[in-house]
Amino acid sequence: MRGDAIPELKQTTLQKLITKFQTAGNLILMKLFGSDKYDSEDIKWEAQVGNRRMTPFAAEDAPSPMVGMEGVSEHSSRAAFWKEKMYLGASFMNNIREPGNERLHYSATKLLAKESAKLRNRCDRRKEWMFCKMLTAGTFTYLDKRGSKVTVDYGIPAANLPSLEAARRWDQPEANVLQDWFNIVEQFEYNAQSPITHALVTSEIIRAMVLNQGMQTLLQKSAFGNGDLMARPTEVIGALLKIPNLIRYDEMYEVRCWLSAALSAGAGPHTIYVDEVGDIEVGDRITGVRIDENGGKHTSTAVMTVTAVSAAAGTITATGAITTALRPQLDYIYTIRKFLPKDRFTVFSDTIGGQKIAEFAEAPFDLDRHYGMKVDSKINWDPDGVYVRVQNKGLPVLFHEDAVYSVKVL
C-alpha cells in the first residue's frame, strides 16, 4: 500500500514539499553550473581543449575556409543513481491519521517536513560531492545499477593537476606563494585562453597563505596592511591576487560504514570488514563506534589511519589501537571529510566563450521517466509506519577540460 490514501503522503504533495526547500546555501557548485535534461542514462558529451581561434581573413569572391572540430574529445558514462529512505513509525502514522485533532496533526506534518528537508539536503550533498571530485581530481567512482564500480574520467590534462615540490609547499619556510600564484595564472590562462573567475580553497590553505612571510611582507607595504588580513583573510587575499571569486569552502560530510564481521581489540594493523567501503579513502582517520544496548553510543573506542581499501573484498586495512572490540551489524566506523581536498588550490573559469564549462546531466528514471530529485512513500502494515524515499539520477559533465587547474600546495 502506498501513501496515496493519506493526503500528506501523496507523491505530488511530497514532491512539492521537498522541492520547495532551497538548496543549502553552503552547497555552491551545483548551483553555479546548473543542469539540463539528457535523453537516457547513457550520458554522452563532447569536451574541448583549446580551439579558441579567430575567423581568418579571406577574399570576398573566394570560397570560405573550412574550420574543423580540432581539440574535441568525446566522453560517455552511465548516469550515477543514488537513493535512500527513512522510516516514520506508529506514532507518526497515528497522528497523521487522527481526525479533528489539529495539534497532533500539526506535530506529524511538522515532523514530515523536517525529515523531508533532511532527505533533500543529503541528496543534494551527493550531487555537490560529484562536482567537487570533478573539479579537484578530474575523476570519481560510483556504483552502477549492477553493483559494479564505474569510474568517470573527465580528461583533465595531467599538467592541470600538478603538485608543488615538497620544499616549496605553502606551509614550508621556502614557500613563495606569490611566485606560485603567478605561475598558476600564467599556465591557466595560456591553456584555457580565458581568465580565472573562481578559486576554491579550504581554511588550511588560507592559513598557510596568511602565515607565509612573503605574503605578510607585501601586505604590510600595501593598502591592505591595516589589520584586515587577520580579520578578513579570504577577502584581502582575493583582492590582493585579483581573484574575482576566492571561495573558502569548508563544508564537510560524514562517511559511515557498518561492520559486517567482528573486530577484535588490539594494536593492529586491522582488517575491517564492512557492509560497503563507500567513500573511505587511503589516509582517512577513522573512528570506531560501539553502540550500547539502549541505543546510545560509546565513541572513541578506536582512532585508526586507513592504509588500504578493497571494494571487491569489502575490507578496510587500518593501523591504530582498538581498546574495545566492535561487533558486526551493531557497530560502525566513520570519518569526517571536507568536500574539497585540504591540500589543493583549485581555479577555474566558469564560462568559456560565453558558455558554462560544466553542467549536471539529469537522466530519466522510473516508469514515468522522471528527471531530477524524486520523493515517494510506502505505508508499512506491520509494524505500522511509512517509508519515505528520495532518489536522483545524473552526472556532472565538463565541456572544457583545460578550464580547470588544481595544484597540490600543502
Side-chain angles (χ1 to χ4, degrees):
M1 177 182 178
R2 300 185 69 86
D4 295 348
I6 300 174
E8 290 80 5
L9 297 180
K10 287 183 178 180
Q11 184 172 334
T12 53
T13 304
L14 287 171
Q15 194 69 29
K16 289 179 181 178
L17 176 64
I18 204 166
T19 54
K20 84 172 185 178
F21 298 120
Q22 297 293 320
T23 301
N26 46 4
L27 304 180
I28 58 175
L29 296 179
M30 56 178 286
K31 294 187 291 186
L32 176 64
F33 292 114
S35 62
D36 199 4
K37 296 178 180 179
Y38 282 56
D39 293 335
S40 73
E41 65 179 13
D42 295 316
I43 307 298
K44 298 179 181 180
W45 71 97
E46 292 183 343
Q48 288 187 190
V49 174
N51 200 22
R52 280 63 141 175
R53 296 169 58 190
M54 296 187 296
T55 300
F57 292 110
E60 187 173 357
D61 295 331
S64 300
M66 182 68 70
V67 60
M69 294 291 289
E70 73 272 21
V72 174
S73 60
E74 294 184 353
H75 296 266
S76 65
S77 183
R78 190 176 299 273
F81 184 74
W82 63 104
K83 64 179 179 178
E84 66 179 350
K85 62 188 176 185
M86 65 170 48
Y87 184 72
L88 301 174
S91 61
F92 168 81
M93 292 301 295
N94 291 337
N95 292 344
I96 203 76
R97 290 167 171 160
E98 186 70 22
N101 191 325
E102 293 185 4
R103 182 180 60 82
L104 292 179
H105 187 268
Y106 174 77
S107 176
T109 55
K110 183 178 179 180
L111 176 63
L112 179 62
K114 176 183 176 182
E115 298 305 317
S116 297
K118 184 187 300 182
L119 284 174
R120 164 68 188 262
N121 183 259
R122 289 166 62 94
C123 189
D124 282 341
R125 291 167 76 81
R126 174 56 71 183
K127 189 174 176 181
E128 183 82 352
W129 177 89
M130 289 190 282
F131 272 113
C132 287
K133 284 291 185 181
M134 179 183 73
L135 293 175
T136 62
T139 182
F140 65 85
T141 301
Y142 61 92
L143 286 173
D144 70 3
K145 61 183 179 183
R146 295 179 294 272
S148 302
K149 292 283 187 178
V150 176
T151 298
V152 184
D153 187 344
Y154 288 97
I156 296 175
N160 283 35
L161 300 170
S163 298
L164 295 179
E165 296 177 6
R168 285 185 58 86
R169 292 182 181 168
W170 291 358
D171 55 354
Q172 299 300 311
E174 297 180 25
N176 190 328
V177 173
L178 291 172
Q179 181 179 346
D180 292 332
W181 166 247
F182 286 118
N183 290 339
I184 290 171
V185 173
E186 181 180 6
Q187 289 295 320
F188 178 88
E189 293 186 348
Y190 180 82
N191 292 327
Q193 298 165 39
S194 180
I196 293 170
T197 63
H198 291 74
L200 301 173
V201 296
T202 61
S203 289
E204 288 82 359
I205 294 175
I206 290 291
R207 179 171 62 244
M209 296 175 78
V210 167
L211 297 178
N212 178 260
Q213 188 59 50
M215 290 284 288
Q216 290 189 3
T217 300
L218 179 62
L219 289 167
Q220 288 171 0
K221 296 179 180 179
S222 73
F224 298 102
N226 57 5
D228 276 354
L229 177 62
M230 297 303 176
R232 302 182 306 115
T234 306
E235 293 81 358
V236 170
I237 292 173
L240 175 67
L241 301 181
K242 298 189 183 303
I243 305 173
N245 298 283
L246 176 61
I247 302 171
R248 180 169 58 180
Y249 191 31
D250 290 319
E251 185 66 16
M252 300 182 184
Y253 62 95
E254 178 184 324
V255 179
R256 182 179 298 190
C257 304
W258 294 89
L259 269 67
S260 57
L263 184 59
S264 301
H270 308 278
T271 299
I272 308 170
Y273 289 84
V274 294
D275 59 340
E276 167 59 45
V277 298
D279 300 309
I280 296 292
E281 299 176 355
V282 172
D284 282 341
R285 288 179 60 81
I286 57 176
T287 301
V289 177
R290 183 179 174 91
I291 306 294
D292 69 15
E293 291 74 8
N294 297 319
K297 65 181 181 180
H298 298 269
T299 58
S300 301
T301 59
V303 178
M304 300 166 282
T305 301
V306 176
T307 57
V309 177
S310 173
T315 60
I316 298 167
T317 305
T319 58
I322 298 178
T323 57
T324 305
L326 301 176
R327 305 155 298 174
Q329 284 82 50
L330 294 174
D331 302 328
Y332 64 90
I333 61 169
Y334 77 93
T335 187
I336 295 176
R337 190 188 304 126
K338 293 187 177 184
F339 278 97
L340 293 182
K342 297 178 182 179
D343 57 0
R344 285 199 168 268
F345 189 98
T346 302
V347 299
F348 60 91
S349 178
D350 61 344
T351 60
I352 297 290
Q355 298 185 355
K356 290 190 174 183
I357 66 164
E359 69 183 12
F360 188 79
E362 294 183 347
F365 62 96
D366 273 2
L367 296 177
D368 60 352
R369 287 182 59 83
H370 185 88
Y371 283 94
M373 189 184 305
K374 181 179 182 180
V375 62
D376 55 13
S377 66
K378 184 177 182 180
I379 291 178
N380 192 60
W381 174 65
D382 186 17
D384 197 20
V386 62
Y387 288 99
V388 178
R389 179 179 64 173
V390 66
Q391 307 171 83
N392 207 341
K393 190 173 186 177
L395 197 71
V397 295
L398 182 65
F399 300 123
H400 292 274
E401 299 168 356
D402 53 356
V404 177
Y405 193 94
S406 182
V407 55
K408 182 179 175 67
V409 296
L410 295 181

